[in-house]
Every structure is written in structure tokens, then in C-alpha cells.
Amino acid sequence: MPIEKKIYELKQSILHKAFKGVLVPQLESDGDAMDLLNEIEELKINIVGNAKNVSKRK
């Protein structure tokens, strides 16, 4: 098997494990994916809101 194919398969394997959450132990304080998505959405809304406020001051 060519080295490029092995590297590609290794990357895919690592990504798969990362998305399954098996690379590191999961803590209860980590929450789940929906919690993280909600937190990201709130941060995005705050950033966009702050950017609009800054542009209005100029």
C-alpha cells in the first residue's frame, strides 16, 4: 500500500475517533455537542452585535 494511502487512512481514523469522543476521557462537565453548538451560536451573536455597535460609533 502506498504511503500516501496509509497517511490518508490514518487521518480518517483519527478524525473518526475524535468525533466519537474516544481519544480522551470525557468529563461530565464537558457537556454534549448540542451544548457546544449553542455556546458557539451565542458567541457568534455577541460578536456580530458588538461589531455592529463599533461600526455605528465611527
Side-chain angles (χ1 to χ4, degrees):
M1 180 183 316
I3 189 74
E4 291 85 8
K5 183 169 172 80
K6 287 182 181 181
I7 292 171
Y8 175 79
E9 289 178 358
L10 179 61
K11 284 183 186 178
Q12 294 304 309
S13 175
I14 292 170
L15 284 172
H16 180 73
K17 288 181 179 187
F19 279 101
K20 285 177 57 176
V22 295
L23 291 180
V24 295
Q26 300 297 301
L27 305 174
E28 287 195 26
S29 62
D30 288 342
D32 63 9
M34 287 306 297
D35 294 337
L36 180 59
L37 288 173
N38 289 334
E39 185 178 336
I40 291 170
E41 188 62 32
E42 288 175 20
L43 288 169
K44 199 162 72 171
I45 290 168
N46 288 336
I47 290 170
V48 170
N50 289 338
K52 286 180 182 179
N53 290 336
V54 170
S55 65
K56 286 181 182 179
R57 290 187 221 155
K58 291 183 177 183

